[in-house]
Structures are given as C-alpha cells and as structure tokens.
C-alpha cells in the first residue's frame, strides 16, 4: 500500500524512525490535517520524543531568517547533528494556500539524508506558528532529528508563541529596518535568548548592536539569570554563523545547569495538553451551534434575561452532561 493511502500508524512510525522522508511527510500531513489517527500517532511517537534541541528563529520580514536557518543547518551538520526544519509561511485568508517559499531558499540541503525540511502553512493561526507545529516537532524528534529548527512566519511583534515551543529563541534584527525600536517593545525583547544582528555589513549595524546591548542592560534580572547574547552575522556570506552556534551552545549549557531546560519542556508539554483540551472543547461546542441550546441561551442574553457568564456556565454544564 502506498504511503499516501496508508493508515498503518506503527508502520509509518517505524519507517520514519528509519529515516524514510515519505513516512515523515505523511505523518506531518496527518498531523496538519488533524486526522482521527492523531492520538494513535502521538502514542506511537511518545517513547522517541523529548530529547531533541528545539531552536526557534523569529524576526521581521526581510531580516534573513531563511538564509540564517540555511547556514545554521550547514553548521549543525558539520557537528554531526541530524537536523529537522519547520518553516512556517503565512497563508492566504481567502484560499488557505501559501507560497511556502522558505523551502525554496533551503535547496542546498535537499539531497542531504541527514536533513528534513518541511514548510507549513500557518492556516490563519496567530503567533507566528501553525497550530500543528508542536506535534510536527514531535514527528521530527521521533524520526531521529536531534536538533529541530522552527522558523516563524515573520510578521512582527506578535510572534512570541515560538518562545513557548523552543529551548532557545533567536530574534533576528537588521540595520535600517527600525528593529532596534521594535525590540524594546514588550514581547520580542522578553522572548529572545540570543539576538542576531544580521546583515551586519550594512551601514547602521554598529548602532543597532549598541542599541540592543543598551536595552538588555536596562532589563531587570536576578543573580544567575540568563543575559541575552548579541551576535553579528552576514548570513548571506556565512559570516558569524559559528558565533550564533556558540551562543546557542552557551545558552543550552545554562539551561541544563540551572534546571531551566526541564522546566521549559514541562511548560511546553503543559501548553500542548491545554491546546489539545481546548481543541476538543471547541469541537464539542461546534455541535451546539446546530442545536437549540446555544440559540436559546443567546436569545436570553440578547434579551437581557441572562448574563453571558451565566449562559456560559449553563453551556459548560450541558457539555458535561453529554460526556
């Protein structure tokens, strides 16, 4: 049976563990589509997950995220790592489609069996990632990737969700794009473990570097807390990539030494469980939209006969009785 039609989860997971890219692709597709086999897939992958280093890359459009990711993959392969890449592209609000251009920009590694690159459409999900990204990371872990790079959509300040998924978060900046001002705003400065001033051969790079260092100096942190690193790079010429890799290694050492790696991964697992639970509740809620319960409650709220909180309590009680 072809992988396109195969529903044999144990076989798919076994082939993915052996490095078959078609099996990995099929598993991620099932995850993206929210297939009914998802619980079975997650159960089969669980024993093989939880050990990969997850690195997030975010930043405004045009700062060179894909180029930096491409060069980081090259550096990680030199170190002997098996690497997975999830590049999230924005999707059309009308058709749901996406150009998925990040994959085009990483063709250098297309024939490397030690690299798996997957572009994912955000499908309207906010925060810079796709809703299926956490489970797709688990698929790549299960397929033997010991480092997974997650590149966000690149839409600006709202992209903080990647920090809840990654062990180490890289925020890329570029001179002349106002990024030094953007970074001081709540969110981006707080999620960065490493700042990368890319395109550092451009005018204004030194100013951007100094501005970020100054902003970090103003931040409050207790004894032993991580101080974000700032590195310069010109990814298009593969310059500074070893410095980025060094900063990532330094941060990982700090994570392990301070027990932060375990805490972050437990926090990540909690977020996954919460998201799955909320998804299940939304699915059950959908069944009420076609029934009379929600309509009756909405009518009562609109007429001022019931508060929206009381209506929500009654709806939750109805959900419980349907279990």
């Amino acid at each position: 049976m072809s992988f396109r039609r195969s529903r044999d989860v144990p076989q798919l997971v076994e082939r993915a563990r052996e490095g078959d890219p078609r099996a990995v692709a099929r598993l991620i597709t099932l995850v993206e589509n929210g297939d009914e086999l998802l619980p079975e897939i997650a159960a089969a992958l669980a024993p093989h997950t939880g050990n990969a280093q997850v690195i997030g890359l975010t930043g405004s459009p045009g700062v060179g995220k894909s180029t930096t990711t491409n060069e980081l993959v090259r550096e990680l392969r030199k170190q002997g790592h098996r690497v997975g890449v999830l590049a999230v592209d924005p999707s059309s609000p009308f058709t749901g489609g996406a150009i998925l251009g990040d994959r085009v920009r990483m063709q250098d590694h297309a024939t490397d069996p030690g690299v798996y690159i997957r572009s994912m459409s955000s499908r309207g999900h906010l925060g810079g990632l796709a809703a299926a990204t956490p489970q797709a990371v688990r698929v790549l872990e299960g397929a033997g990737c010991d480092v997974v790079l997650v590149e966000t959509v690149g839409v600006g300040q709202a992209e903080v969700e990647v920090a809840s998924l990654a062990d180490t978060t890289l925020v890329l900046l570029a001179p002349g794009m106002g990024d030094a001002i953007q970074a001081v705003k709540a969110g981006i400065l707080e999620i960065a473990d490493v700042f990368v001033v890319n395109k550092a051969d451009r005018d204004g790079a030194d100013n951007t570097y100094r501005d970020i260092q100054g902003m970090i100096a103003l931040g409050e942190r207790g004894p032993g807390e991580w101080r974000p690193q700032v590195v310069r790079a010109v990814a298009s010429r593969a310059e500074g990539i070893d410095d980025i890799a060094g900063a990532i290694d330094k941060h990982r050492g700090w994570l392990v030494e301070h027990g932060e790696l375990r805490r972050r991964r437990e926090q990540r697992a909690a977020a996954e469980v919460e998201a799955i639970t909320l998804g299940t509740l939304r699915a059950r809620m959908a069944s009420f939209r076609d029934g009379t319960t929600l309509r009756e409650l909405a009518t009562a709220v609109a007429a001022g006969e019931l508060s929206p909180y009381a209506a929500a309590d009654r709806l939750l009680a109805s959900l419980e009785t349907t279990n």
Side-chain angles (χ1 to χ4, degrees):
M1 183 182 295
S2 69
F3 278 110
R4 184 174 296 277
R5 297 182 179 179
S6 175
R7 310 289 288 178
D8 187 343
V9 170
Q11 181 193 22
L12 279 173
V13 171
E14 181 182 351
R15 294 299 297 272
R17 293 284 298 160
E18 294 171 354
D20 188 325
R22 292 177 302 159
V24 177
R26 179 61 176 154
L27 285 171
I28 293 180
T29 297
L30 292 171
V31 165
E32 283 191 285
N33 293 338
D35 194 274
E36 61 185 13
L37 290 175
L38 197 48
E40 186 180 349
I41 292 170
L45 289 170
H48 312 294
T49 60
N51 296 314
Q53 182 180 12
V54 183
I55 301 169
L57 296 94
T58 188
S60 303
V63 296
K65 292 189 301 297
S66 294
T67 305
T68 302
T69 300
N70 188 63
E71 295 305 321
L72 261 181
V73 170
R74 197 186 312 279
E75 179 66 23
L76 290 166
R77 288 296 291 145
K78 288 179 184 177
Q79 298 175 13
H81 294 290
R82 182 173 174 80
V83 184
V85 179
L86 293 174
V88 184
D89 277 301
S91 57
S92 165
F94 304 105
T95 66
I99 296 176
L100 305 181
D102 289 324
R103 194 169 182 177
V104 175
R105 289 190 287 268
M106 298 182 202
Q107 287 301 303
D108 292 354
H109 309 289
T111 59
D112 186 345
V115 178
Y116 184 88
I117 299 171
R118 173 74 174 227
S119 289
M120 302 180 71
S121 167
S122 65
R123 302 191 181 188
H125 185 73
L126 301 179
L129 301 178
T133 305
Q135 292 301 318
V137 168
R138 289 190 175 275
V139 171
L140 293 180
E141 284 187 289
C145 294
D146 57 318
V147 179
V148 178
L149 303 177
V150 181
E151 180 189 328
T152 69
V153 167
V155 293
Q157 300 165 45
E159 297 200 19
V160 297
E161 188 176 334
V162 68
S164 66
L165 178 67
D167 299 324
T168 299
T169 301
L170 274 60
V171 173
L172 273 69
L173 313 166
M177 298 182 66
D179 282 334
I181 301 301
Q182 300 300 329
V184 77
K185 297 183 178 180
I188 292 295
L189 181 63
E190 297 165 358
I191 69 166
D193 298 307
V194 178
F195 283 103
V196 178
V197 179
N198 192 31
K199 305 182 181 181
D201 54 340
R202 291 186 175 181
D203 291 341
D206 289 341
N207 290 336
T208 301
Y209 182 88
R210 284 194 299 269
D211 288 344
I212 298 302
Q213 289 281 22
M215 292 170 190
I216 292 171
L218 292 174
E220 295 183 5
R221 58 183 59 83
E225 288 189 26
W226 174 255
R227 188 184 194 279
Q229 305 285 290
V230 187
V231 298
R232 295 180 175 91
V234 184
S236 60
R237 299 205 299 256
E239 295 175 5
I241 302 302
D242 53 344
D243 292 333
I244 299 174
I248 292 171
D249 288 342
K250 185 176 181 180
H251 182 246
R252 182 174 177 82
W254 178 86
L255 289 172
V256 173
E257 181 183 350
H258 290 80
E260 184 69 10
L261 184 62
R262 176 182 54 80
R263 191 193 70 80
R264 288 195 182 195
R265 290 183 174 181
E266 288 177 355
Q267 200 171 40
R268 183 192 312 167
E272 282 187 69
V273 173
E274 181 181 355
I276 292 168
T277 304
L278 289 173
T280 302
L281 284 174
R282 288 192 191 97
R284 291 179 181 174
M285 281 283 296
S287 65
F288 279 89
R289 293 194 185 101
D290 299 326
T292 59
T293 304
L294 185 56
R295 284 204 303 272
E296 291 173 352
L297 290 171
T299 299
V301 171
E305 300 168 0
L306 196 65
S307 78
Y309 288 96
D313 287 339
R314 293 188 187 183
L315 187 59
L316 286 172
S318 298
L319 286 171
E320 291 174 1
T321 60
T322 59
N323 287 345

